[in-house]
Amino acid sequence: MNGTGMTDINLNLAVDTLSRVYPSGEGQVTALRPFTHTFQHGMTAVVGPSGSGKSTLLNLLAGFDTPTSGRVQVGDTDLHALDETGRADFRLAHYGFVFQNHNLVAILSALENVEFPLMLAGVPPKERRDRARALLAQVGLERRTGHMPAQLSGGEAQRVALARALVSDPAVLLADEPTGNLDSKTGGEVLELLLAPARAGRTVVLITHDPEVAARADFTLRVKDGEVKEESRVLV
Ligand SMILES: Nc1ncnc2c1ncn2[C@@H]1O[C@H](COP(=O)(O)OP(=O)(O)O)[C@@H](O)[C@H]1O
Ligand SMILES: [Mg+2]
């Protein structure tokens, strides 16, 4: 994010022979087999059975985990060539995250949670407060700004987490089962909030178990035993 709060929304996310092998007791688990792919702008759904490697892929895309081979390229940046601090700054500027559990900071209000990434990015107080308010309004929570996470319903907390993920208008939005703990109506609302940036040209990567959610995405990657395959869409 630069001083005007604008990020380069055209950053391309690509992976080249990306793989991850975890040590496991005496042996090893191949969680992700070498995978090469360019993520298109819009929404890519990542589907597949439990334990197939979906979260491993997302954690590598995020730079939370280190690949056994290959690279994650975001625009001109090789994510894993950065040091820890560089990667953290890069994430702050270009990434948004949503997880199955909202991961809100318990001692901060809804508004403060949404402001938090902007504070870390050095955005001045008035500007960050205004933007956080605007985002909470966008997710329909303008009346919950002063609530603490424990005072919010599951769906409300997840919408606060979305507002926090979207507040810096990131080029890349990564979501791991964000609707997994929600009823279908609330899950649908959260999905709409993720589709909006996808339609605005951001790159959204969404892990989901729900075929109805996956059907709304522009592209699908199917993961099975660590192998990722592009699924072609039959247009009807
Ligand atoms: N940190 C880790 N250490 C060892 N094995 C792991 C680790 N993370 C994931 N795995 C293994 O890698 C495989 C893929 O896991 P994961 O990516 O979490 O699957 P999914 O998200 O599709 O359910 C599983 O067999 C899992 O046990
Ligand atoms: Mg997972």
Side-chain angles (χ1 to χ4, degrees):
M1 195 176 345
N2 61 30
T4 61
M6 300 293 285
T7 56
D8 180 0
I9 67 154
N10 293 314
L11 284 183
N12 285 309
L13 174 65
V15 299
D16 188 3
T17 53
L18 188 71
S19 79
R20 184 65 165 107
V21 177
Y22 291 112
S24 158
E26 309 278 280
Q28 305 185 318
V29 176
T30 303
L32 184 69
R33 295 171 198 280
F35 173 50
T36 299
H37 182 70
T38 299
F39 289 84
Q40 305 290 320
H41 297 178
M43 183 181 282
T44 298
V46 179
V47 302
S50 181
S52 57
K54 304 181 298 296
S55 294
T56 298
L57 173 61
L58 212 77
N59 288 333
L60 292 169
L61 293 178
F64 292 142
D65 189 15
T66 307
T68 302
S69 78
R71 50 200 240 145
V72 175
Q73 187 82 21
V74 192
D76 294 332
T77 302
D78 177 347
L79 190 63
H80 294 91
L82 300 171
D83 62 17
E84 260 329 306
T85 313
R87 211 162 22 249
D89 289 345
F90 190 83
R91 271 198 291 265
L92 212 45
H94 302 296
Y95 278 74
F97 299 97
V98 195
F99 302 98
Q100 183 163 5
N101 299 310
H102 53 71
N103 290 1
L104 297 175
V105 181
I107 58 162
L108 298 180
S109 70
L111 186 66
E112 288 164 345
N113 265 282
V114 180
E115 271 187 61
F116 196 54
L118 298 177
M119 191 186 81
L120 295 178
V123 176
K126 165 104 172 59
E127 185 187 340
R128 69 182 189 235
R129 186 135 298 198
D130 289 349
R131 280 177 37 200
R133 273 188 202 289
L135 257 295
L136 280 174
Q138 198 177 311
V139 302
L141 291 176
E142 56 272 75
R143 292 171 189 282
R144 296 287 185 277
T145 53
H147 277 53
M148 303 306 280
Q151 299 171 321
L152 299 167
S153 72
E156 288 172 342
Q158 195 58 303
R159 280 186 284 154
V160 174
L162 259 158
R164 180 180 58 182
L166 297 173
V167 74
S168 52
D169 194 11
V172 179
L173 200 56
L174 302 179
D176 195 343
E177 299 273 5
T179 63
N181 282 339
L182 304 177
D183 63 72
S184 65
K185 178 173 175 288
T186 313
E189 290 165 6
V190 165
L191 177 62
E192 287 304 324
L193 292 166
L194 285 166
L195 281 165
R199 291 193 187 109
R202 291 0 169 229
T203 301
V204 180
V205 183
L206 167 72
I207 296 179
T208 182
H209 269 113
D210 185 340
E212 284 182 37
V213 171
R216 301 288 305 279
D218 304 297
F219 314 98
T220 302
L221 293 176
R222 187 168 292 277
V223 191
K224 198 182 165 203
D225 295 334
E227 189 176 2
V228 190
K229 285 188 176 158
E230 282 179 60
E231 194 161 272
S232 56
R233 283 294 170 83
V234 180
L235 295 174
V236 289

PDB file of all heavy atoms in Angstrom, residues 20-24 29-32 48-59 65 176-177 207 209 223 226, ligand 1:
ATOM      1  N   ARG A  20       5.550 -29.242  -1.510  1.00  0.00           N
ATOM      2  CA  ARG A  20       5.819 -29.258  -0.073  1.00  0.00           C
ATOM      3  C   ARG A  20       5.800 -30.700   0.417  1.00  0.00           C
ATOM      4  O   ARG A  20       4.804 -31.418   0.239  1.00  0.00           O
ATOM      5  CB  ARG A  20       4.765 -28.438   0.683  1.00  0.00           C
ATOM      6  CG  ARG A  20       5.042 -28.340   2.190  1.00  0.00           C
ATOM      7  CD  ARG A  20       6.330 -27.580   2.446  1.00  0.00           C
ATOM      8  NE  ARG A  20       6.464 -27.147   3.834  1.00  0.00           N
ATOM      9  CZ  ARG A  20       7.328 -27.708   4.711  1.00  0.00           C
ATOM     10  NH1 ARG A  20       8.056 -28.740   4.349  1.00  0.00           N
ATOM     11  NH2 ARG A  20       7.424 -27.195   5.936  1.00  0.00           N
ATOM     12  N   VAL A  21       6.893 -31.112   0.997  1.00  0.00           N
ATOM     13  CA  VAL A  21       6.997 -32.425   1.622  1.00  0.00           C
ATOM     14  C   VAL A  21       7.230 -32.196   3.106  1.00  0.00           C
ATOM     15  O   VAL A  21       8.120 -31.426   3.481  1.00  0.00           O
ATOM     16  CB  VAL A  21       8.172 -33.239   1.019  1.00  0.00           C
ATOM     17  CG1 VAL A  21       8.315 -34.587   1.723  1.00  0.00           C
ATOM     18  CG2 VAL A  21       7.971 -33.431  -0.479  1.00  0.00           C
ATOM     19  N   TYR A  22       6.412 -32.814   3.941  1.00  0.00           N
ATOM     20  CA  TYR A  22       6.596 -32.685   5.393  1.00  0.00           C
ATOM     21  C   TYR A  22       7.247 -33.946   5.943  1.00  0.00           C
ATOM     22  O   TYR A  22       6.868 -35.050   5.551  1.00  0.00           O
ATOM     23  CB  TYR A  22       5.248 -32.522   6.097  1.00  0.00           C
ATOM     24  CG  TYR A  22       4.545 -31.217   5.851  1.00  0.00           C
ATOM     25  CD1 TYR A  22       3.365 -31.172   5.127  1.00  0.00           C
ATOM     26  CD2 TYR A  22       5.058 -30.028   6.353  1.00  0.00           C
ATOM     27  CE1 TYR A  22       2.704 -29.971   4.901  1.00  0.00           C
ATOM     28  CE2 TYR A  22       4.412 -28.822   6.133  1.00  0.00           C
ATOM     29  CZ  TYR A  22       3.234 -28.813   5.412  1.00  0.00           C
ATOM     30  OH  TYR A  22       2.592 -27.631   5.196  1.00  0.00           O
ATOM     31  N   PRO A  23       8.193 -33.795   6.864  1.00  0.00           N
ATOM     32  CA  PRO A  23       8.689 -34.974   7.555  1.00  0.00           C
ATOM     33  C   PRO A  23       7.576 -35.527   8.430  1.00  0.00           C
ATOM     34  O   PRO A  23       6.768 -34.765   8.954  1.00  0.00           O
ATOM     35  CB  PRO A  23       9.841 -34.439   8.407  1.00  0.00           C
ATOM     36  CG  PRO A  23       9.653 -32.972   8.509  1.00  0.00           C
ATOM     37  CD  PRO A  23       8.764 -32.544   7.373  1.00  0.00           C
ATOM     38  N   SER A  24       7.496 -36.830   8.534  1.00  0.00           N
ATOM     39  CA  SER A  24       6.431 -37.448   9.313  1.00  0.00           C
ATOM     40  C   SER A  24       6.962 -38.733   9.927  1.00  0.00           C
ATOM     41  O   SER A  24       7.136 -39.723   9.225  1.00  0.00           O
ATOM     42  CB  SER A  24       5.244 -37.728   8.387  1.00  0.00           C
ATOM     43  OG  SER A  24       4.429 -38.723   8.924  1.00  0.00           O
ATOM     44  N   VAL A  29       5.506 -36.967   4.214  1.00  0.00           N
ATOM     45  CA  VAL A  29       4.198 -36.798   3.595  1.00  0.00           C
ATOM     46  C   VAL A  29       4.357 -35.794   2.463  1.00  0.00           C
ATOM     47  O   VAL A  29       4.822 -34.676   2.686  1.00  0.00           O
ATOM     48  CB  VAL A  29       3.161 -36.241   4.596  1.00  0.00           C
ATOM     49  CG1 VAL A  29       1.832 -35.983   3.889  1.00  0.00           C
ATOM     50  CG2 VAL A  29       2.971 -37.173   5.765  1.00  0.00           C
ATOM     51  N   THR A  30       3.998 -36.206   1.258  1.00  0.00           N
ATOM     52  CA  THR A  30       4.004 -35.260   0.148  1.00  0.00           C
ATOM     53  C   THR A  30       2.663 -34.545   0.157  1.00  0.00           C
ATOM     54  O   THR A  30       1.666 -35.070  -0.327  1.00  0.00           O
ATOM     55  CB  THR A  30       4.241 -35.985  -1.194  1.00  0.00           C
ATOM     56  OG1 THR A  30       5.464 -36.692  -1.099  1.00  0.00           O
ATOM     57  CG2 THR A  30       4.329 -34.992  -2.342  1.00  0.00           C
ATOM     58  N   ALA A  31       2.639 -33.356   0.744  1.00  0.00           N
ATOM     59  CA  ALA A  31       1.383 -32.625   0.900  1.00  0.00           C
ATOM     60  C   ALA A  31       1.006 -31.905  -0.390  1.00  0.00           C
ATOM     61  O   ALA A  31      -0.172 -31.718  -0.679  1.00  0.00           O
ATOM     62  CB  ALA A  31       1.496 -31.634   2.051  1.00  0.00           C
ATOM     63  N   LEU A  32       2.024 -31.496  -1.160  1.00  0.00           N
ATOM     64  CA  LEU A  32       1.757 -30.827  -2.443  1.00  0.00           C
ATOM     65  C   LEU A  32       2.788 -31.285  -3.462  1.00  0.00           C
ATOM     66  O   LEU A  32       3.998 -31.148  -3.241  1.00  0.00           O
ATOM     67  CB  LEU A  32       1.822 -29.302  -2.273  1.00  0.00           C
ATOM     68  CG  LEU A  32       1.468 -28.492  -3.518  1.00  0.00           C
ATOM     69  CD1 LEU A  32      -0.016 -28.615  -3.867  1.00  0.00           C
ATOM     70  CD2 LEU A  32       1.842 -27.023  -3.337  1.00  0.00           C
ATOM     71  N   GLY A  48     -11.488 -30.294  -2.862  1.00  0.00           N
ATOM     72  CA  GLY A  48     -10.845 -31.601  -2.705  1.00  0.00           C
ATOM     73  C   GLY A  48     -11.059 -32.111  -1.302  1.00  0.00           C
ATOM     74  O   GLY A  48     -11.389 -31.348  -0.401  1.00  0.00           O
ATOM     75  N   PRO A  49     -10.851 -33.432  -1.111  1.00  0.00           N
ATOM     76  CA  PRO A  49     -11.118 -34.025   0.189  1.00  0.00           C
ATOM     77  C   PRO A  49     -10.221 -33.498   1.294  1.00  0.00           C
ATOM     78  O   PRO A  49      -9.178 -32.891   1.019  1.00  0.00           O
ATOM     79  CB  PRO A  49     -10.873 -35.524  -0.030  1.00  0.00           C
ATOM     80  CG  PRO A  49     -10.333 -35.683  -1.383  1.00  0.00           C
ATOM     81  CD  PRO A  49     -10.412 -34.398  -2.116  1.00  0.00           C
ATOM     82  N   SER A  50     -10.632 -33.736   2.508  1.00  0.00           N
ATOM     83  CA  SER A  50      -9.855 -33.359   3.676  1.00  0.00           C
ATOM     84  C   SER A  50      -8.492 -34.052   3.623  1.00  0.00           C
ATOM     85  O   SER A  50      -8.402 -35.225   3.263  1.00  0.00           O
ATOM     86  CB  SER A  50     -10.637 -33.779   4.916  1.00  0.00           C
ATOM     87  OG  SER A  50      -9.945 -33.420   6.060  1.00  0.00           O
ATOM     88  N   GLY A  51      -7.445 -33.310   3.918  1.00  0.00           N
ATOM     89  CA  GLY A  51      -6.101 -33.880   3.921  1.00  0.00           C
ATOM     90  C   GLY A  51      -5.453 -33.954   2.550  1.00  0.00           C
ATOM     91  O   GLY A  51      -4.375 -34.526   2.393  1.00  0.00           O
ATOM     92  N   SER A  52      -6.092 -33.367   1.525  1.00  0.00           N
ATOM     93  CA  SER A  52      -5.561 -33.494   0.159  1.00  0.00           C
ATOM     94  C   SER A  52      -4.454 -32.488  -0.150  1.00  0.00           C
ATOM     95  O   SER A  52      -3.732 -32.643  -1.134  1.00  0.00           O
ATOM     96  CB  SER A  52      -6.699 -33.359  -0.860  1.00  0.00           C
ATOM     97  OG  SER A  52      -7.380 -32.138  -0.712  1.00  0.00           O
ATOM     98  N   GLY A  53      -4.325 -31.430   0.668  1.00  0.00           N
ATOM     99  CA  GLY A  53      -3.248 -30.464   0.445  1.00  0.00           C
ATOM    100  C   GLY A  53      -3.712 -29.043   0.167  1.00  0.00           C
ATOM    101  O   GLY A  53      -2.898 -28.183  -0.182  1.00  0.00           O
ATOM    102  N   LYS A  54      -4.991 -28.767   0.371  1.00  0.00           N
ATOM    103  CA  LYS A  54      -5.540 -27.436   0.050  1.00  0.00           C
ATOM    104  C   LYS A  54      -4.934 -26.346   0.942  1.00  0.00           C
ATOM    105  O   LYS A  54      -4.485 -25.306   0.450  1.00  0.00           O
ATOM    106  CB  LYS A  54      -7.076 -27.441   0.212  1.00  0.00           C
ATOM    107  CG  LYS A  54      -7.779 -28.510  -0.611  1.00  0.00           C
ATOM    108  CD  LYS A  54      -9.286 -28.466  -0.449  1.00  0.00           C
ATOM    109  CE  LYS A  54      -9.788 -28.717   0.957  1.00  0.00           C
ATOM    110  NZ  LYS A  54      -9.487 -30.084   1.469  1.00  0.00           N
ATOM    111  N   SER A  55      -4.934 -26.598   2.243  1.00  0.00           N
ATOM    112  CA  SER A  55      -4.380 -25.581   3.152  1.00  0.00           C
ATOM    113  C   SER A  55      -2.872 -25.435   2.951  1.00  0.00           C
ATOM    114  O   SER A  55      -2.328 -24.337   3.063  1.00  0.00           O
ATOM    115  CB  SER A  55      -4.680 -25.931   4.607  1.00  0.00           C
ATOM    116  OG  SER A  55      -6.080 -25.859   4.843  1.00  0.00           O
ATOM    117  N   THR A  56      -2.215 -26.542   2.643  1.00  0.00           N
ATOM    118  CA  THR A  56      -0.777 -26.476   2.354  1.00  0.00           C
ATOM    119  C   THR A  56      -0.528 -25.505   1.204  1.00  0.00           C
ATOM    120  O   THR A  56       0.360 -24.636   1.286  1.00  0.00           O
ATOM    121  CB  THR A  56      -0.251 -27.886   1.988  1.00  0.00           C
ATOM    122  OG1 THR A  56      -0.448 -28.745   3.114  1.00  0.00           O
ATOM    123  CG2 THR A  56       1.212 -27.849   1.614  1.00  0.00           C
ATOM    124  N   LEU A  57      -1.319 -25.652   0.141  1.00  0.00           N
ATOM    125  CA  LEU A  57      -1.176 -24.744  -1.006  1.00  0.00           C
ATOM    126  C   LEU A  57      -1.391 -23.294  -0.581  1.00  0.00           C
ATOM    127  O   LEU A  57      -0.594 -22.405  -0.910  1.00  0.00           O
ATOM    128  CB  LEU A  57      -2.180 -25.141  -2.105  1.00  0.00           C
ATOM    129  CG  LEU A  57      -2.271 -24.179  -3.293  1.00  0.00           C
ATOM    130  CD1 LEU A  57      -0.933 -24.061  -4.027  1.00  0.00           C
ATOM    131  CD2 LEU A  57      -3.371 -24.620  -4.274  1.00  0.00           C
ATOM    132  N   LEU A  58      -2.463 -23.049   0.172  1.00  0.00           N
ATOM    133  CA  LEU A  58      -2.771 -21.674   0.571  1.00  0.00           C
ATOM    134  C   LEU A  58      -1.674 -21.083   1.470  1.00  0.00           C
ATOM    135  O   LEU A  58      -1.300 -19.920   1.315  1.00  0.00           O
ATOM    136  CB  LEU A  58      -4.118 -21.625   1.289  1.00  0.00           C
ATOM    137  CG  LEU A  58      -4.875 -20.320   1.062  1.00  0.00           C
ATOM    138  CD1 LEU A  58      -5.517 -20.320  -0.310  1.00  0.00           C
ATOM    139  CD2 LEU A  58      -5.921 -20.075   2.127  1.00  0.00           C
ATOM    140  N   ASN A  59      -1.172 -21.914   2.382  1.00  0.00           N
ATOM    141  CA  ASN A  59      -0.112 -21.437   3.284  1.00  0.00           C
ATOM    142  C   ASN A  59       1.168 -21.104   2.525  1.00  0.00           C
ATOM    143  O   ASN A  59       1.913 -20.201   2.921  1.00  0.00           O
ATOM    144  CB  ASN A  59       0.163 -22.470   4.376  1.00  0.00           C
ATOM    145  CG  ASN A  59      -0.974 -22.530   5.381  1.00  0.00           C
ATOM    146  OD1 ASN A  59      -1.683 -21.558   5.590  1.00  0.00           O
ATOM    147  ND2 ASN A  59      -1.161 -23.688   5.989  1.00  0.00           N
ATOM    148  N   ASP A  65       4.289 -20.687   4.966  1.00  0.00           N
ATOM    149  CA  ASP A  65       5.064 -21.920   4.962  1.00  0.00           C
ATOM    150  C   ASP A  65       6.092 -21.833   3.829  1.00  0.00           C
ATOM    151  O   ASP A  65       5.906 -21.063   2.876  1.00  0.00           O
ATOM    152  CB  ASP A  65       4.102 -23.107   4.751  1.00  0.00           C
ATOM    153  CG  ASP A  65       4.772 -24.453   4.959  1.00  0.00           C
ATOM    154  OD1 ASP A  65       5.873 -24.501   5.534  1.00  0.00           O
ATOM    155  OD2 ASP A  65       4.181 -25.466   4.527  1.00  0.00           O
ATOM    156  N   ASP A 176      -9.479 -19.591   3.512  1.00  0.00           N
ATOM    157  CA  ASP A 176      -9.484 -21.028   3.795  1.00  0.00           C
ATOM    158  C   ASP A 176     -10.779 -21.396   4.519  1.00  0.00           C
ATOM    159  O   ASP A 176     -10.929 -21.126   5.705  1.00  0.00           O
ATOM    160  CB  ASP A 176      -8.255 -21.400   4.646  1.00  0.00           C
ATOM    161  CG  ASP A 176      -7.994 -22.909   4.676  1.00  0.00           C
ATOM    162  OD1 ASP A 176      -8.914 -23.679   4.324  1.00  0.00           O
ATOM    163  OD2 ASP A 176      -6.881 -23.306   5.053  1.00  0.00           O
ATOM    164  N   GLU A 177     -11.703 -21.982   3.797  1.00  0.00           N
ATOM    165  CA  GLU A 177     -13.007 -22.400   4.343  1.00  0.00           C
ATOM    166  C   GLU A 177     -13.711 -21.293   5.127  1.00  0.00           C
ATOM    167  O   GLU A 177     -14.169 -21.541   6.247  1.00  0.00           O
ATOM    168  CB  GLU A 177     -12.818 -23.613   5.268  1.00  0.00           C
ATOM    169  CG  GLU A 177     -12.237 -24.836   4.597  1.00  0.00           C
ATOM    170  CD  GLU A 177     -13.290 -25.722   3.948  1.00  0.00           C
ATOM    171  OE1 GLU A 177     -14.482 -25.331   3.944  1.00  0.00           O
ATOM    172  OE2 GLU A 177     -12.916 -26.771   3.434  1.00  0.00           O
ATOM    173  N   ILE A 207     -10.672 -21.701  -0.634  1.00  0.00           N
ATOM    174  CA  ILE A 207     -10.824 -23.131  -0.354  1.00  0.00           C
ATOM    175  C   ILE A 207     -12.231 -23.366   0.166  1.00  0.00           C
ATOM    176  O   ILE A 207     -12.694 -22.641   1.051  1.00  0.00           O
ATOM    177  CB  ILE A 207      -9.817 -23.600   0.718  1.00  0.00           C
ATOM    178  CG1 ILE A 207      -8.389 -23.458   0.209  1.00  0.00           C
ATOM    179  CG2 ILE A 207     -10.095 -25.048   1.136  1.00  0.00           C
ATOM    180  CD1 ILE A 207      -7.341 -23.873   1.236  1.00  0.00           C
ATOM    181  N   HIS A 209     -15.410 -26.616   0.838  1.00  0.00           N
ATOM    182  CA  HIS A 209     -15.954 -27.965   0.734  1.00  0.00           C
ATOM    183  C   HIS A 209     -17.302 -27.949   0.018  1.00  0.00           C
ATOM    184  O   HIS A 209     -17.831 -28.986  -0.356  1.00  0.00           O
ATOM    185  CB  HIS A 209     -16.221 -28.523   2.154  1.00  0.00           C
ATOM    186  CG  HIS A 209     -15.077 -29.269   2.722  1.00  0.00           C
ATOM    187  ND1 HIS A 209     -14.371 -28.829   3.807  1.00  0.00           N
ATOM    188  CD2 HIS A 209     -14.489 -30.428   2.334  1.00  0.00           C
ATOM    189  CE1 HIS A 209     -13.406 -29.693   4.071  1.00  0.00           C
ATOM    190  NE2 HIS A 209     -13.461 -30.660   3.191  1.00  0.00           N
ATOM    191  N   VAL A 223      -7.881 -30.640  -5.836  1.00  0.00           N
ATOM    192  CA  VAL A 223      -6.688 -31.217  -5.219  1.00  0.00           C
ATOM    193  C   VAL A 223      -7.011 -32.630  -4.739  1.00  0.00           C
ATOM    194  O   VAL A 223      -8.050 -32.862  -4.104  1.00  0.00           O
ATOM    195  CB  VAL A 223      -6.214 -30.370  -4.003  1.00  0.00           C
ATOM    196  CG1 VAL A 223      -4.835 -30.835  -3.547  1.00  0.00           C
ATOM    197  CG2 VAL A 223      -6.191 -28.889  -4.348  1.00  0.00           C
ATOM    198  N   GLY A 226      -2.447 -34.388  -2.893  1.00  0.00           N
ATOM    199  CA  GLY A 226      -1.352 -33.453  -3.130  1.00  0.00           C
ATOM    200  C   GLY A 226      -1.185 -33.021  -4.579  1.00  0.00           C
ATOM    201  O   GLY A 226      -0.330 -32.205  -4.895  1.00  0.00           O
TER     202      GLY A 226
HETATM  203  N1  LIG B   1       2.846 -28.958   9.372  1.00  0.00           N
HETATM  204  C1  LIG B   1       2.653 -30.206   8.920  1.00  0.00           C
HETATM  205  N2  LIG B   1       3.475 -31.201   9.267  1.00  0.00           N
HETATM  206  C2  LIG B   1       3.292 -32.459   8.800  1.00  0.00           C
HETATM  207  N3  LIG B   1       2.297 -32.806   7.963  1.00  0.00           N
HETATM  208  C3  LIG B   1       1.440 -31.848   7.585  1.00  0.00           C
HETATM  209  C4  LIG B   1       1.555 -30.498   8.037  1.00  0.00           C
HETATM  210  N4  LIG B   1       0.564 -29.767   7.476  1.00  0.00           N
HETATM  211  C5  LIG B   1      -0.144 -30.624   6.735  1.00  0.00           C
HETATM  212  N5  LIG B   1       0.377 -31.870   6.783  1.00  0.00           N
HETATM  213  C6  LIG B   1      -0.124 -33.055   6.059  1.00  0.00           C
HETATM  214  O1  LIG B   1      -0.234 -32.719   4.686  1.00  0.00           O
HETATM  215  C7  LIG B   1      -1.408 -33.245   4.116  1.00  0.00           C
HETATM  216  C8  LIG B   1      -2.262 -32.119   3.540  1.00  0.00           C
HETATM  217  O2  LIG B   1      -2.789 -31.335   4.620  1.00  0.00           O
HETATM  218  P1  LIG B   1      -3.670 -30.034   4.366  1.00  0.00           P
HETATM  219  O3  LIG B   1      -3.000 -29.191   3.349  1.00  0.00           O
HETATM  220  O4  LIG B   1      -3.926 -29.422   5.692  1.00  0.00           O
HETATM  221  O5  LIG B   1      -5.005 -30.656   3.755  1.00  0.00           O
HETATM  222  P2  LIG B   1      -6.438 -30.009   3.508  1.00  0.00           P
HETATM  223  O6  LIG B   1      -6.365 -28.538   3.796  1.00  0.00           O
HETATM  224  O7  LIG B   1      -6.766 -30.330   2.082  1.00  0.00           O
HETATM  225  O8  LIG B   1      -7.386 -30.709   4.439  1.00  0.00           O
HETATM  226  C9  LIG B   1      -2.091 -34.043   5.209  1.00  0.00           C
HETATM  227  O9  LIG B   1      -1.708 -35.381   5.080  1.00  0.00           O
HETATM  228  C10 LIG B   1      -1.528 -33.446   6.473  1.00  0.00           C
HETATM  229  O10 LIG B   1      -1.529 -34.380   7.504  1.00  0.00           O
END
